[in-house]
Amino acid sequence: MRMDDRKRQIMQAIVQLYGLEGEPIGSGVLANYFDCAVSSATLRNDMAALTKLGLLEQPHTSAGRIPSAKGYRYYLDDLLGKEMQLDRQDAREIRNTFAALDQEPDKLAQGAAKALAKMTGYTVAVTTPRADDLCIAHYEVVQVGRYAAAVLAVTTAGGVRTRVAHVSRGLTRGDAASLAALLNSNLTFVAPVDLDQNLLNALCEQAGPALVSVVWAAAGILQDSARPHVFLGGEQYLLQWPELQPHLPLLLAQLNDDERAGAMITPPSNRTTVFLGEDMVPEMPGLCIMAKRYMVGGGMTGTIALVGPARMPFSRLIPVLETCAQELGKGMSGRTADEA
């Protein structure tokens, strides 16, 4: 879409001003923004032209204009500066924050979500690394009570998963060691899709009726390892955006379901992607999800995303999100800043 420079500047100004105030922007506010270099009458005419193009909307007859979904898309694709730079203070805060986080994958994802939410004031969703060949590298079995055993599993991505199984008789150290050996001999480096009923039946027979629950717990961890987990931070921030209130029940339901949340926030490529609520099924007008993949290595990727209103300050948040994705990838792969 081609427009003259003044209309481009007006469009950019309205997006930025509406992001600050959340109120429709009138010609008087725009005139002050341009230091009265352009008359209010000229600005009204240009705003009317942008409205006819579908880039602006007028909520009420006497109100100013706000960006439409088409307007936001135009802004993101054509007006947002390619020279966006990360603020030095933001860079320092991100570096110090990630250096202090627990590097175990699930805890790192959870910590990153909470830290970025606190830093930006927006809701954050982070998925754990995913790859089609992700499996279990090692099992341990530990007695945690007279009739309970904890099965601990380390994934090939470095994550730790745990399930507790009820056992019908006391678990001895010998039982725990034997079960761990059985699991490590048969269920490590096995893709979840290759876990069939015949293999499970054979392992249950070797474990014996009293300890079969431990085998099922280990199998459950293996099957669960193929599904990325989604951790949220700052869900309370969704309450501060009036335009999102009608969608909150549906949005929260989707974000709290790992499978649906993963599908909702995962971008189609490695580029930073901005999803608008009007493009979603079902539609959630006014919503915006800004998402970026992080790279772990070995074909594994995860996603970190900001969730909020379409009037986010994109020029500040995109560099922040991209830097967090880089740091998250380093942490998930065990690399230091010097090695990256």
Side-chain angles (χ1 to χ4, degrees):
M1 184 181 300
R2 301 184 63 180
M3 291 194 294
D4 60 57
D5 287 343
R6 189 176 65 232
K7 288 188 178 66
R8 289 167 62 91
Q9 291 172 3
I10 290 171
M11 189 69 210
Q12 191 163 23
I14 290 176
V15 170
Q16 293 173 349
L17 290 170
Y18 182 61
L20 291 173
E21 303 295 336
E23 296 291 338
I25 308 302
S27 58
V29 173
L30 273 181
N32 291 331
Y33 179 87
F34 288 110
D35 292 327
C36 297
V38 184
S39 71
S40 292
T42 298
L43 290 171
R44 282 195 295 272
N45 289 335
D46 285 340
M47 291 166 71
L50 291 169
T51 303
K52 286 185 178 179
L53 289 172
L55 300 178
L56 297 179
E57 296 175 342
Q58 190 172 21
H60 309 286
T61 304
S62 59
R65 303 310 204 273
I66 65 174
S68 65
K70 183 179 179 181
Y72 276 119
R73 183 55 63 194
Y74 175 72
Y75 171 80
L76 291 164
D77 293 343
D78 296 276
L79 300 181
L80 191 59
K82 305 299 182 184
E83 69 286 352
M84 291 181 296
Q85 296 290 327
L86 182 68
D87 180 83
R88 288 185 178 180
Q89 182 176 346
D90 287 340
R92 183 167 51 251
E93 184 175 355
I94 292 169
R95 186 171 56 251
N96 293 339
T97 295
F98 276 84
L101 294 178
D102 191 317
Q103 299 299 292
E104 192 277 313
D106 280 12
K107 293 181 180 179
L108 179 56
Q110 185 177 39
K114 292 181 177 180
L116 182 55
K118 182 178 180 181
M119 178 180 177
T120 62
Y122 292 90
T123 303
V124 178
V126 179
T127 69
T128 50
R130 180 189 181 281
D132 292 336
D133 59 353
L134 188 67
C135 49
I136 304 301
H138 184 73
Y139 284 100
E140 288 288 343
V141 179
V142 180
Q143 182 179 0
V144 293
R146 186 174 181 183
Y147 297 106
V151 182
L152 290 76
V154 181
T155 71
T156 49
V160 178
R161 305 286 171 86
T162 305
R163 285 199 181 190
V164 175
H166 175 79
V167 292
S168 59
R169 62 171 174 78
L171 185 75
T172 67
R173 290 185 179 180
D175 290 333
S178 296
L179 285 167
L182 179 67
L183 298 175
N184 285 314
S185 297
N186 294 276
L187 292 185
T188 53
F189 302 102
V190 173
V193 295
D194 295 329
L195 182 62
D196 60 33
Q197 192 62 47
N198 290 333
L199 175 58
L200 281 177
N201 290 340
L203 294 179
C204 289
E205 186 176 346
Q206 292 182 61
L211 302 176
V212 68
S213 59
V214 176
V215 174
W216 282 108
I221 294 175
L222 174 56
Q223 292 171 328
D224 187 56
S225 69
R227 296 186 288 267
H229 290 216
V230 180
F231 292 96
L232 301 177
E235 298 99 311
Q236 71 274 16
Y237 296 131
L238 293 172
L239 298 173
Q240 65 186 339
W241 312 114
E243 59 266 52
L244 299 185
Q245 300 307 305
H247 316 303
L248 278 183
L250 174 61
L251 179 58
L252 288 171
Q254 289 190 270
L255 289 175
N256 282 281
D257 181 289
D258 283 353
E259 185 174 350
R260 289 196 291 169
M264 186 181 191
I265 70 172
T266 299
S269 70
N270 292 331
R271 298 180 59 185
T272 301
T273 300
V274 178
F275 301 103
L276 297 176
E278 287 80 355
D279 301 326
M280 299 176 185
V281 179
E283 290 188 12
M284 287 184 264
L287 175 68
C288 176
I289 297 176
M290 185 190 304
K292 173 67 176 173
R293 288 186 187 181
Y294 64 87
M295 313 299 290
V296 180
M300 290 188 293
T301 65
T303 300
I304 181 169
L306 288 162
V307 183
R311 53 189 173 96
M312 288 184 181
F314 298 102
S315 58
R316 178 200 169 217
L317 291 181
I318 287 177
V320 167
L321 181 68
E322 292 177 342
T323 303
C324 286
Q326 292 174 0
E327 293 297 322
L328 192 52
K330 293 174 190 175
M332 290 290 184
S333 59
R335 290 178 290 145
T336 65
D338 294 335
E339 293 172 331

